[in-house]
Amino acid sequence: MFKKIKNNIFRKRAQKFLSVTPREHRFVSYDKAQKVLLLFESDYAEKNPAIRKIVLSLQEDGKKVTAWGFVDKKETQTVILPDFQILHHKQTDSFGKPDSSLINQLQEMKFDLLIDLSLRTLLPLQYLAMYATASCKAGIRHTDLPLYDFILDLEKKTPSTETSKTEENPVDETYLFNQIIFYLKSIQTND
């Protein structure tokens, strides 16, 4: 019941924010993206090896990467760095909205590309995706609200017989990242 209330409050806040806040949408190819914001769900131990590999691969391609995650616990052990931080429950209100200081910090930064690697619906990450200033936002469908410009719909994804033999669930952050990057590199624009 409380989850439904939280989702309804997010929906109303998002509709209001999106209706009064103009945003310049534009497709940003992978080659043209200079600054990238990664949003992710942190593992409970806060090690996030897959996310760290993704950050490293983006940095090797010459991208400036900022990664913000959310962990489902009251406090984090990870040191807060300018380009890598993990939020927790004490940094959100009762409805999942991050503190205004975090939102202000995020809105001061400008990104070419936002990639949301969260596989589940996490309201704090949806708020971050909504408030982030990015030219192009990509992620999977969590809601029918227009938070993203580029959406992968993985609900209909069924594992092939080859992958189901070796992996129970082939859809993880690395798979999602690879799919988004594949399409960002494949789509050609005339700008």
Side-chain angles (χ1 to χ4, degrees), residues 42-79:
S42 175
D43 59 31
Y44 201 76
E46 302 173 31
K47 299 294 183 205
N48 305 302
I51 299 300
R52 292 183 188 276
K53 282 183 187 176
I54 290 169
V55 168
L56 187 60
S57 72
L58 287 167
Q59 289 172 337
E60 287 172 350
D61 286 346
K63 315 290 184 208
K64 181 176 179 351
V65 183
T66 302
W68 283 29
F70 178 77
V71 65
D72 192 12
K73 57 185 187 179
K74 290 184 181 179
E75 291 195 20
T76 59
Q77 304 301 318
T78 305
V79 176

Side-chain angles (χ1 to χ4, degrees), residues 157-172:
K157 168 133 179 43
T158 55
S160 68
T161 54
E162 294 175 359
T163 56
S164 62
K165 290 178 186 173
T166 58
E167 298 176 30
E168 288 182 22
N169 186 5
V171 178
D172 61 4

Side-chain angles (χ1 to χ4, degrees), residues 149-186:
D149 306 310
F150 182 80
I151 300 170
L152 285 178
D153 193 354
L154 295 180
E155 283 186 27
K156 297 178 181 122
K157 168 133 179 43
T158 55
S160 68
T161 54
E162 294 175 359
T163 56
S164 62
K165 290 178 186 173
T166 58
E167 298 176 30
E168 288 182 22
N169 186 5
V171 178
D172 61 4
E173 292 89 353
T174 304
Y175 174 83
L176 178 58
F177 174 76
N178 288 334
Q179 291 297 304
I180 290 172
I181 296 304
F182 171 78
Y183 288 110
L184 292 177
K185 286 182 177 180
S186 299

Side-chain angles (χ1 to χ4, degrees), residues 6-190:
K6 287 168 55 171
N7 285 329
N8 285 337
I9 289 173
F10 169 74
R11 176 177 276 301
K12 287 182 182 180
R13 287 176 174 173
Q15 287 171 337
K16 181 179 178 183
F17 178 81
L18 294 170
S19 69
V20 299
T21 308
R23 186 173 149 256
E24 183 182 323
H25 305 266
R26 71 179 172 89
F27 178 77
V28 177
S29 67
Y30 182 75
D31 293 334
K32 295 204 166 122
Q34 301 281 321
K35 294 181 178 181
V36 178
L37 172 63
L38 283 181
L39 299 178
F40 64 95
E41 178 180 5
S42 175
D43 59 31
Y44 201 76
E46 302 173 31
K47 299 294 183 205
N48 305 302
I51 299 300
R52 292 183 188 276
K53 282 183 187 176
I54 290 169
V55 168
L56 187 60
S57 72
L58 287 167
Q59 289 172 337
E60 287 172 350
D61 286 346
K63 315 290 184 208
K64 181 176 179 351
V65 183
T66 302
W68 283 29
F70 178 77
V71 65
D72 192 12
K73 57 185 187 179
K74 290 184 181 179
E75 291 195 20
T76 59
Q77 304 301 318
T78 305
V79 176
I80 296 175
L81 302 171
D83 293 334
F84 193 93
Q85 61 179 302
I86 298 175
L87 285 66
H88 50 83
H89 285 293
K90 283 189 177 180
Q91 293 174 303
T92 64
D93 67 13
S94 303
F95 302 106
K97 183 179 178 182
D99 292 339
S100 59
S101 62
L102 291 169
I103 291 172
N104 292 337
Q105 180 184 352
L106 183 65
Q107 287 180 319
E108 289 174 6
M109 297 184 269
K110 306 280 187 240
F111 300 98
D112 299 312
L113 180 61
L114 176 147
I115 301 174
D116 184 350
L117 297 177
S118 59
L119 300 170
R120 298 184 308 135
T121 302
L122 293 169
L123 289 178
L125 293 179
Q126 286 191 302
Y127 277 107
L128 293 177
M130 178 177 68
Y131 287 118
T133 306
S135 298
C136 184
K137 298 180 180 184
I140 62 174
R141 182 178 307 281
H142 292 296
T143 178
D144 59 347
L145 292 168
L147 296 181
Y148 305 112
D149 306 310
F150 182 80
I151 300 170
L152 285 178
D153 193 354
L154 295 180
E155 283 186 27
K156 297 178 181 122
K157 168 133 179 43
T158 55
S160 68
T161 54
E162 294 175 359
T163 56
S164 62
K165 290 178 186 173
T166 58
E167 298 176 30
E168 288 182 22
N169 186 5
V171 178
D172 61 4
E173 292 89 353
T174 304
Y175 174 83
L176 178 58
F177 174 76
N178 288 334
Q179 291 297 304
I180 290 172
I181 296 304
F182 171 78
Y183 288 110
L184 292 177
K185 286 182 177 180
S186 299
I187 296 173
Q188 301 297 317
T189 61
N190 293 330

